[in-house]
DNA sequence: ATTAGCACTCGAGATGCTCAAGTGCTAACT
DNA sequence: AGTTAGCACTTGAGCATCTCGAGTGCTAAT
């Protein structure tokens, strides 16, 4: 990203990696003496001091104050994630837990994401998040009216995206089974497959005309359709295990905690970060790499969830920048691909037996 | 509750009320001198000191340490809520905000509760909560199969409680419209109105028999029915505005905060408190009045939401025991009765126009 | 019964001290 | 030229100490 970034000597890389690793484990600034002990570089603390000073100049390390050790900067974490990361091997237990989810083969995307979010939080010990994006323009492809009794019916709406919505109507007057059927026919004739902005007054008038004395049904039904459609294209952000963050010293400051909480409750920023993701693989947004300044000191790791090339959501983890990256990245990767597999295998759901 | 509780002198009541009021506003222990100034009792701080000492002996007040003022004990708050509370008059704005909700006339209980929870939190500046109780034993009163195309259909399930569930099935083999219709008939014949524990193997075998070569549909459909039913009788706890609590000094301790968060995430305890409520009106559970010890220093104010005598949920607020009771109680009352009104007026929903 | 007065208690906050960790720099060494 | 030992320096954490103010309880006078 910078001119100074031409190449890092092998020793610098080893030291940088050691600093990040140590800081991830210990949570405190790491000093030269400690490094000299744990690294296999046979050189003295003084040498390491020199190297660290240079790494700081290059922007990879920071010093909280003069007499403390060094901690990685965002750039340092970035380099670590991009170049220094070792593969993490999931333990049997971890694989088991993920498989448990996969085997459950839950029915709806919602449910899967919910469980996956919990799992993400549980396995990584950070906060799990899941996102369902705003739907593209949705319309209702088919209406169905189920006649319950002379004073109530259920309106079933099948959307173009495959989601089904229902609404029960209770009436202050009587209605016949044939009239309910007529309502369904008229709805299908007039406004099936129309996006909300093309449901115009003339259409509504026509519907009222065709429904005769049941014209009074039109208004509430249309209102309900609008509601359902606008519901559907709202994005959704699910958060699980926020309290896990409370155990990390970086969030022992109430204000930071509060900011982060606001970030999650307000949703917009997270949506932006996730929808701005470039990579098809696991994305890592470290600290202030996003424009969201509240994110400083925090990192978001996530991966898109796709169903046959269509992005249907994302799943990830939010935690301190001092995060066990290799573990978390592997975990999210596994989880996301697992979900994708379930989704794309849905076709075969019943062909097996 | 105790022998000493025969009766409090008027002056004691005034002092107790003044202590609670002051502590609610200031958030700190209140001393005798301060009280002597603000109360209209023309008596000196020494007298007040004597009275306070007695109130402490009776259990209504507490002293954090010798040289601090007094704070109300749980019992003190309880007496305040039961006997000393003045009516709070909602401001125009507050009434407007509530009316806005009422006018929205949202379609589903879920949506109403969601909005109401947000509103509760917003208006009171504490954490809003809503509860949907575990449903009584639910069964599915009617099945409907909507044929989509030769490889998919939607199963619509109407439950005895009026809730509708749907599930889309995608098949690995072809199916005819008549076969789908048959599935619906068979389901209605065999297992409609049966609680889950009475769906027995013989019934399933019978269904498979009647469905002929589509017998392979039975297994996934039954599985889906089980899932839907067990989903439905899960209680639900909705929480909004937890971060508002972060502004109160009683929650500046990370551990307390964390305990409270766990309480909300784990749900069971809250369910118990709410389902153990005696009063039909607004309930106030102060601090350790419940058996849940995490609740010490916190108070839950809530009211049941009913639809024609059937309890369909509850809405309330969680905050520090030092809570603006008169305001909060009025607020929750207004909100809950408002929701009840919407629910019971649903009948007339369409008879108007 | 009330109240003025006073001795007493206790925590919050300020101050100053030591200590350990860690640095940067210089000079010596390979 | 790169490495290292050594040393002076910096700084925050932790701790003891002190003061100050708020508030109490008690006693004696009203």
């Amino acid at each position: 990203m910078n001119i100074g970034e031409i190449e890092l000597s092998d020793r610098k890389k080893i030291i940088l990696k050691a600093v990040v690793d140590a800081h991830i484990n210990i949570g405190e600034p790491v000093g030269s003496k400690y490094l000299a002990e744990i690294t296999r570089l046979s050189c003295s603390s003084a040498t390491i001091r020199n190297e660290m000073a240079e790494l700081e100049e290059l922007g990879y390390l920071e010093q909280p104050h003069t007499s403390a050790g060094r901690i990685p900067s965002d750039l340092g974490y970035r380099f670590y994630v991009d170049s220094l990361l070792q593969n993490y091997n999931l333990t049997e237990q971890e694989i088991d837990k993920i498989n448990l989810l996969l085997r459950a083969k839950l029915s709806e995307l919602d449910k899967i994401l919910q469980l996956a979010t919990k799992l993400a939080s549980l396995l990584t010990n950070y906060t799990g998040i899941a996102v369902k994006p705003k739907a593209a323009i949705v319309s209702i492809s088919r209406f169905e009216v189920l006649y319950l009794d002379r004073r109530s019916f259920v309106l079933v709406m099948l959307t173009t995206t495959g989601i089904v919505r229902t609404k029960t109507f209770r009436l202050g007057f009587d209605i016949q089974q044939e009239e309910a059927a007529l309502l369904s026919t008229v709805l299908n004739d007039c406004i099936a497959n129309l996006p909300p902005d093309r449901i115009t007054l003339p259409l509504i008038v026509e519907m009222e005309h065709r429904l005769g004395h049941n014209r009074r049904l039109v208004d509430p039904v249309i209102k309900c359709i609008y509601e359902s459609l606008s519901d559907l294209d709202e994005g959704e952000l699910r958060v699980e295990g926020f309290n896990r963050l409370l155990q990390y010293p970086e969030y022992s400051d109430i204000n930071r905690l509060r900011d982060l909480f606001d970030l999650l409750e307000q949703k917009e920023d997270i949506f932006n970060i996730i929808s701005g993701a470039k990579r098809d693989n696991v994305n890592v947004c470290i600290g202030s790499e996003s424009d969201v300044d509240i994110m400083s000191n925090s990192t978001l790791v996530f991966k898109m969830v796709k169903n046959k090339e269509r992005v249907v959501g994302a799943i990830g983890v939010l935690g301190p920048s001092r995060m066990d990256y290799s573990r978390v990245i592997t975990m999210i990767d596994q989880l996301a691909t697992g979900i994708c597999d379930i989704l794309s295998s849905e076709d075969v759901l019943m062909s097996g037996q």
Side-chain angles (χ1 to χ4, degrees), chain A:
Chain A
M1 208 167 268
N2 213 311
I3 319 162
E5 212 191 289
I6 323 169
E7 189 54 61
L8 246 43
S9 74
D10 278 355
R11 193 169 64 184
K12 280 206 179 59
K13 283 184 190 166
I14 293 176
I15 292 177
L16 180 53
K17 179 166 178 344
V19 171
V20 178
D21 281 335
H23 185 246
I24 284 175
N25 284 327
I26 318 293
E28 268 157 34
V30 265
S32 53
K33 195 177 160 196
Y34 176 76
L35 282 183
E37 277 167 20
I38 60 155
T39 54
R40 290 257 165 265
L41 292 170
S42 42
C43 64
S44 78
S45 63
T47 313
I48 297 196
R49 272 204 292 285
N50 291 332
E51 293 283 44
M52 289 211 293
E54 284 176 51
L55 280 169
E56 183 172 356
E57 221 162 282
L58 292 170
Y60 295 108
L61 294 180
E62 283 171 2
Q63 227 176 341
H65 57 265
T66 326
S67 80
R70 299 315 206 281
I71 58 172
S73 67
D74 287 350
L75 188 63
Y77 282 125
R78 166 56 56 199
F79 190 85
Y80 177 83
V81 169
D82 287 345
S83 317
L84 304 175
L85 214 53
Q86 292 170 327
N87 262 356
Y88 176 81
N89 290 320
L90 297 175
T91 69
E92 293 250 343
Q93 282 184 18
E94 289 163 350
I95 294 177
D96 280 356
K97 272 192 187 146
I98 294 179
N99 281 341
L100 196 80
L101 164 69
L102 303 191
R103 238 182 284 116
K105 288 222 178 193
L106 292 166
S107 38
E108 292 167 48
L109 178 62
D110 271 352
K111 287 282 169 55
I112 298 177
L113 281 186
Q114 180 181 356
L115 193 55
T117 316
K118 277 191 182 151
L119 210 55
S121 174
L122 186 74
L123 291 173
T124 62
N125 209 25
Y126 300 113
T127 295
I129 62 163
V131 167
K132 266 186 14 186
K134 300 192 189 197
I137 307 112
V138 197
S139 56
I140 292 170
S141 60
R142 185 169 149 195
F143 295 89
E144 206 65 47
V145 174
L146 302 182
Y147 185 77
L148 292 182
D149 56 49
R150 59 190 178 72
R151 289 236 160 181
S152 53
F153 64 87
V154 174
L155 178 63
V156 183
M157 295 165 277
L158 308 176
T159 68
T160 43
T161 56
I163 294 168
V164 183
R165 281 295 166 105
T166 63
K167 159 85 172 123
T168 308
F169 287 87
R170 276 177 240 288
L171 312 177
F173 52 90
D174 289 7
I175 188 178
Q176 304 288 93
Q177 179 130 26
E178 306 84 56
E179 294 173 316
L182 179 62
L183 175 62
S184 132
T185 313
V186 169
L187 283 171
N188 279 313
D189 286 356
C190 294
I191 58 176
N193 290 312
L194 290 187
D197 58 328
R198 288 197 31 217
I199 302 177
T200 54
L201 197 58
L203 276 175
I204 295 177
V205 173
E206 184 192 336
M207 287 170 59
E208 289 183 336
H209 179 71
R210 285 182 58 182
L211 280 173
H213 73 282
N214 280 324
R215 57 177 62 230
R216 54 192 162 178
L217 286 172
V218 172
D219 192 59
V221 166
I222 289 286
K223 198 176 146 226
C224 160
I225 292 169
Y226 267 120
E227 256 177 35
S228 306
L229 286 177
S230 54
D231 265 15
L232 282 171
D233 70 18
E234 250 180 28
E236 214 183 288
L237 176 64
R238 189 181 290 282
V239 179
E240 290 282 348
F242 184 78
N243 49 349
R244 287 184 204 275
L245 292 188
L246 297 178
Q247 75 191 264
Y248 299 102
E250 21 281 86
Y251 299 112
S252 60
D253 175 30
I254 291 273
N255 289 320
R256 169 172 302 286
L257 202 62
R258 185 176 180 171
D259 284 347
L260 207 64
F261 208 108
D262 285 341
L263 182 73
L264 289 176
E265 235 178 36
Q266 160 262 332
K267 300 176 183 181
E268 240 2 271
D269 284 331
I270 301 278
F271 282 144
N272 288 338
I273 293 176
I274 290 185
S275 59
K278 319 120 237 182
R279 302 233 255 139
D280 224 29
N281 215 307
V282 178
N283 283 272
V284 181
C285 173
I286 300 168
S288 42
E289 285 183 353
S290 70
D291 304 329
V292 188
D293 51 349
I294 303 162
M295 281 282 293
S296 69
N297 282 18
S298 298
T299 284
L300 189 62
V301 177
F302 62 95
K303 182 171 179 179
M304 295 302 178
V305 174
K306 293 187 176 184
N307 185 2
K308 301 172 205 155
E309 298 307 310
R310 232 187 73 227
V311 173
V312 294
I315 182 145
V317 151
L318 178 69
S321 287
R322 175 179 76 84
M323 183 185 276
D324 189 344
Y325 287 99
S326 71
R327 206 178 124 83
V328 170
I329 291 177
T330 315
M331 219 67 114
I332 293 299
D333 197 19
Q334 183 77 23
L335 212 46
T337 40
I339 297 171
C340 293
D341 287 352
I342 304 180
L343 291 179
S344 54
S345 74
E346 199 179 18
D347 267 8
V348 217
L349 185 65
M350 294 157 59
S351 59
Q353 37 178 334

